[in-house]
């Protein structure tokens, strides 16, 4: 039993649905295989402003407005001891990118958003199958020629295609099949999150903002994302070893970390959890290559870094966009190696820049935030965080920013007296207290506990 | 209300604005009462988060750029020290 298509796409998450939409609307024959039945829960609610461009292109942006998803004007960063309402923030509308359809991005309930986008692909003419998982990609030599599908025991189907696209998300179906997936040794983060009601409302003027809370621990932070109807997505991210060492339950660990940030702790005082606990672990990886004869990887299936800059859907969106360009030209007769090679270069360069920026965030922590809001880097960083690092202008800006921030950071760390070094303030306080004690003077008691 | 024109070196207007920000935004009430222009800031009154917010305030309020190299004890030991830093920055850029 078989069928023939221009493209078979494995996976109906944002990447797969966007690619299916982009190609189906121009009349290509698209088969999209989604293993789940939507709606289904998924992590990753915050979108970058860059994604609005592609949503608009496929006529989906209006649907998002109609669905009433929470609009996100910007990001707030809080430090552990800051009083509630005392924080720094950036607004994306300060530095809109050329042609930005909206001065905000959205926070989305993924079950609703993904289901809408999947249906949109169907409406544009893709053949969408839900509850049908791909078993393996079929090859002739090193060329991918289709996908084996088995909806149930005894029912086998070969869906043949000119191009096979793996959009299977973290499952990385094709990368695993070909042995290309590599876990990242430098990142071993662990996320625990859920949805909550009864969270204190955002301070006036900051409705819709994404809150990023530092927790006073290496490589740990929390997100607080407002959704519709008084629901918030809240998660803590920390090093996996920290969780394992703690020996505590997920609930206890979450509560403990949450309590390390005053603003977050205050906001959660009367909160109640309305979904199960979700865990994300071992989530940072890359693949040796993201294209081959007759195949491409898009979205999480090509790579996932970290949630801190909400890059997941930016990668999904733009890898889908550039995949559609590559596939279109191949279907129209262009050389496949050139077209796929261009896709690989563009996408890999952009994702590598996200990786560098994320690494910097974890190295710099609070200093990163200072760079974000200080005069020197603010514009470059606000522009970069809006996404789409896949074109020369934005990529060059991101690379410059990364180099300059890294350079500044090294200068700071090279000077033991620089107050921005994580340990300096504490050390100076200790020196002060020691000399005050020796001189017998009455000590000025510190107003706040040290971070 | 700020005084018209620039004030002499050791600019009390700048110092007053710095003092006001620290007291109103960064200190707990019990420290705010006794906080003066000479009070040692680095005795434990500010943590790194507060320092960060102070730097943002200084750059925005006085329209200067504070280099990372400037963020050392000599420049942030007290309101008086910060005042001197800001004045030197303004002289360099010529902003009023």
């Amino acid at each position: 039993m078989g069928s023939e298509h221009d493209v078979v796409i494995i996976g109906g998450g944002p990447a797969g649905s966007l690619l299916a939409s982009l190609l189906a609307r121009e009349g290509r024959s698209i088969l999209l295989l989604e293993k789940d039945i939507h709606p289904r829960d998924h992590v990753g609610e915050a979108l970058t402003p860059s994604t609005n461009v592609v949503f608009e292109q496929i006529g989906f942006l209006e649907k998002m407005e109609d669905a009433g998803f929470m609009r996100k004007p910007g990001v707030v960063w809080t430090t552990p001891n800051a009083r509630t309402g005392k924080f720094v923030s950036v607004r994306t509308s300060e530095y809109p990118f050329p042609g930005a359809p909206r001065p905000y991005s959205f926070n989305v309930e993924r079950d609703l958003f993904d289901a809408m986008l999947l249906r949109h692909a169907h409406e544009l003419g893709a053949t969408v199958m839900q509850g049908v998982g791909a078993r393996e990609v079929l090859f002739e030599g090193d060329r991918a020629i289709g996908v084996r599908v088995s909806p149930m025991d005894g029912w086998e189907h070969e869906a043949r295609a000119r191009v096979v696209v793996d959009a299977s998300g973290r499952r990385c179906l094709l990368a695993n099949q070909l042995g290309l997936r590599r876990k990242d040794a430098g990142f071993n983060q662990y996320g625990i999150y859920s949805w909550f009601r009864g969270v204190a409302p955002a301070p006036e003027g900051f409705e819709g903002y994404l809150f990023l809370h530092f927790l006073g621990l290496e490589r740990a932070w929390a997100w607080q994302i407002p959704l519709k109807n008084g629901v918030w997505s809240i998660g803590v991210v920390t090093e996996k070893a920290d969780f394992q060492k703690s020996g505590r339950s997920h609930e206890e660990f979450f509560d403990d970390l949450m309590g390390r940030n005053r603003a977050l702790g205050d906001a959660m005082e009367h909160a109640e959890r309305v979904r199960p606990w979700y865990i994300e672990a071992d989530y940072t990886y890359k693949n040796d290559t993201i294209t081959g004869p007759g195949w491409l990887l898009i979205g999480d299936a090509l790579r996932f870094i970290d949630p801190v800059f909400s890059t997941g859907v930016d990668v999904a969106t733009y890898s889908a966009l550039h995949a559609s360009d590559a596939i279109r030209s191949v279907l129209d007769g262009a050389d496949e190696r050139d077209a796929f090679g261009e896709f690989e270069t563009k996408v890999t360069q952009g994702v590598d820049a996200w990786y560098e920026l994320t690494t910097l965030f974890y190295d710099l922590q609070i200093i990163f935030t200072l760079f974000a809001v200080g005069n020197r880097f603010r514009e470059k960083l606000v522009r970069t965080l809006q996404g789409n690092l896949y074109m020369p202008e934005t990529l060059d800006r991101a690379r410059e920013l990364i180099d300059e921030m890294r350079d500044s950071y090294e200068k700071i760390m090279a000077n033991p007296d620089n107050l921005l070094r994580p340990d300096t303030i504490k050390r100076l306080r200790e020196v002060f207290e020691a000399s005050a004690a020796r001189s017998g003077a009455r000590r000025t008691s510190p107003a706040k506990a040290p971070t | 209300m700020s005084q018209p024109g620039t004030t002499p070196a050791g600019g009390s207007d700048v110092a007053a604005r710095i003092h006001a920000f620290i007291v109103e935004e960064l200190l707990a009430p019990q420290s705010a009462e006794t906080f003066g222009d000479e009070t040692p800031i680095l005795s434990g009154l500010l943590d790194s988060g507060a320092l960060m917010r102070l730097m943002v305030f200084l750059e925005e309020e006085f329209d200067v750029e504070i280099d990372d190299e400037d963020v050392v004890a000599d420049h942030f030991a007290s309101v008086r020290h910060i005042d001197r830093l800001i004045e030197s920055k303004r002289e360099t850029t010529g902003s009023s």
Side-chain angles (χ1 to χ4, degrees):
Chain A
M1 278 283 285
S3 57
E4 298 270 343
H5 315 269
D6 287 333
V7 187
V8 174
I9 301 171
I10 302 169
S17 295
L18 279 166
L19 178 61
S21 297
L22 285 160
L23 292 172
R25 71 192 182 133
E26 35 182 87
R28 313 289 178 175
S29 73
I30 308 297
L31 174 65
L32 193 160
L33 302 167
E34 163 58 25
K35 71 169 169 20
D36 233 326
I37 303 276
H38 286 237
R40 58 90 183 92
D41 291 338
H42 201 282
V43 68
E45 291 101 347
L47 307 184
T48 51
S50 60
T51 57
N52 291 333
V53 173
V54 183
F55 298 153
E56 189 174 59
Q57 208 172 319
I58 59 168
F60 188 68
L61 196 56
E62 284 295 306
K63 289 186 180 176
M64 292 182 72
E65 300 282 15
D66 289 345
F69 288 121
M70 178 64 75
R71 297 176 178 180
K72 177 174 65 249
V75 177
V76 165
W77 286 288
T78 74
T79 52
N81 297 316
R83 283 172 284 166
T84 303
K86 304 298 181 191
F87 46 69
V88 294
S89 65
V90 292
R91 274 183 98 84
T92 49
S93 62
E94 278 180 72
Y95 303 110
F97 58 83
R102 300 286 188 278
Y104 49 80
S105 56
F106 292 96
N107 299 326
V108 299
E109 290 78 345
R110 286 290 300 277
D111 53 352
L112 178 57
F113 172 79
D114 287 18
M116 284 171 55
L117 200 45
L118 187 63
R119 187 177 167 83
H120 192 71
H122 159 77
E123 287 175 11
L124 290 178
T127 302
V128 174
M129 300 184 73
Q130 292 193 70
V132 177
R135 295 278 175 254
E136 64 172 328
V137 176
L138 300 166
F139 283 83
E140 252 162 35
D142 64 354
R143 170 163 293 280
I145 54 153
V147 177
R148 183 169 68 81
V149 182
S150 181
M152 56 189 284
D153 283 347
W155 182 1
E156 290 277 319
H157 181 87
E158 268 190 22
R160 293 189 155 238
R162 176 67 185 80
V163 181
V164 174
V165 177
D166 182 14
S168 62
R170 304 247 183 99
R171 188 184 165 205
C172 293
L173 184 144
L174 183 50
N176 280 323
Q177 183 177 327
L178 298 176
L180 303 170
R181 192 179 186 278
R182 308 278 163 240
K183 188 164 148 37
D184 188 308
F187 279 88
N188 205 4
Q189 300 292 86
Y190 194 80
I192 304 172
Y193 69 98
S194 191
W195 285 5
F196 298 82
R197 285 187 179 284
V199 179
E204 198 180 316
F206 290 93
E207 298 83 10
Y209 276 69
L210 182 157
F211 284 73
L212 196 157
H213 302 286
F214 287 99
L215 303 176
L217 278 181
E218 289 278 321
R219 304 176 79 82
W221 56 280
W223 77 69
Q224 186 188 343
I225 299 173
L227 301 171
K228 296 189 287 175
N229 304 321
V231 174
W232 292 75
S233 165
I234 301 181
V236 297
V237 177
T238 184
E239 281 192 295
K240 189 173 176 185
D242 286 342
F243 173 69
Q244 289 168 326
K245 270 190 306 209
S246 76
R248 315 182 82 188
S249 71
H250 293 121
E251 173 119 33
E252 289 166 344
F253 190 69
F254 182 93
D255 282 346
D256 179 55
L257 283 187
M258 206 182 66
R260 289 172 166 271
N261 180 292
R262 189 188 304 200
L264 178 57
D266 286 352
M268 296 288 284
E269 201 183 326
H270 303 294
E272 50 155 332
R273 188 165 50 85
V274 297
R275 285 283 170 98
W277 288 113
Y278 297 109
I279 308 297
E280 302 287 343
D282 299 319
Y283 57 68
T284 307
Y285 54 84
K286 69 183 292 191
N287 295 312
D288 290 340
T289 181
I290 64 172
T291 83
W295 62 267
L296 300 170
L297 309 181
I298 63 173
D300 283 2
L302 85 89
R303 188 167 186 184
F304 189 77
I305 303 167
D306 190 87
V308 73
F309 295 129
S310 306
T311 54
V313 184
D314 175 80
V315 175
T317 303
Y318 280 85
S319 62
L321 180 68
H322 293 300
S324 75
D325 289 341
I327 293 169
R328 177 184 308 114
S329 60
V330 163
L331 293 177
D332 291 345
D335 179 78
E336 186 192 77
R337 272 238 289 250
D338 288 345
F340 284 13
E342 195 182 320
F343 163 82
E344 172 142 34
T345 302
K346 240 185 228 176
V347 171
T348 304
Q349 285 179 340
V351 181
D352 282 350
W354 279 134
Y355 184 83
E356 290 301 320
L357 203 60
T358 303
T359 302
L360 257 181
F361 171 83
Y362 279 104
D363 286 346
L364 272 52
Q365 305 258 348
I366 289 179
I367 298 176
F368 189 98
T369 310
L370 177 67
F371 284 173
V373 298
N375 283 341
R376 189 148 40 112
F377 296 124
R378 185 188 186 99
E379 180 175 342
K380 266 191 194 147
L381 186 59
V382 173
R383 289 191 184 280
T384 298
L385 291 181
Q386 294 188 55
N388 185 7
L389 303 185
Y390 315 95
M391 41 189 216
E393 185 195 319
T394 51
L395 180 62
D396 287 347
R397 178 193 300 133
R399 283 170 167 171
E400 267 173 34
L401 174 71
I402 288 163
D403 286 344
E404 286 166 14
M405 286 174 73
R406 172 76 54 198
D407 198 56
S408 281
Y409 177 66
E410 275 161 17
K411 286 206 183 97
I412 290 169
M413 295 305 283
N415 180 359
D417 292 322
N418 194 300
L419 299 174
L420 297 171
R421 275 181 51 148
D423 52 332
T424 306
I425 290 183
K426 181 161 171 259
R427 183 170 55 79
L428 289 174
R429 192 192 77 245
E430 286 165 2
V431 165
F432 179 87
E433 286 173 359
S435 81
R438 271 199 304 275
S439 70
R442 199 160 60 90
R443 282 182 6 172
T444 313
S445 52
K448 300 130 89 81
T451 42
Chain B
M1 298 293 153
S2 52
Q3 296 166 1
T6 54
T7 46
S12 61
D13 173 57
V14 170
R17 282 147 77 186
I18 296 170
H19 184 274
F21 177 79
I22 291 176
V23 161
E24 284 158 27
E25 297 287 324
L26 303 180
L27 295 184
Q30 62 265 35
S31 304
E33 277 166 25
T34 54
F35 186 75
D37 285 0
E38 314 283 344
T39 308
I41 289 174
L42 300 169
S43 61
L45 294 182
L46 299 187
D47 64 9
S48 49
L51 175 65
M52 182 179 74
R53 293 185 49 236
L54 175 59
M55 287 180 64
V56 172
F57 162 77
L58 294 172
E59 284 196 326
E60 284 176 0
E61 180 79 358
F62 303 111
D63 195 27
V64 294
E65 212 173 88
I66 299 183
D67 301 322
D68 305 320
E69 296 85 77
D70 296 326
V71 192
V72 291
D74 281 347
H75 289 144
F76 282 82
S78 71
V79 169
R80 195 64 66 203
H81 288 81
I82 300 171
D83 178 22
R84 277 200 286 270
L85 171 67
I86 297 300
E87 288 301 332
S88 76
K89 287 287 167 187
R90 286 166 127 200
E91 272 158 34
T92 322
T93 60
S95 60
S96 55

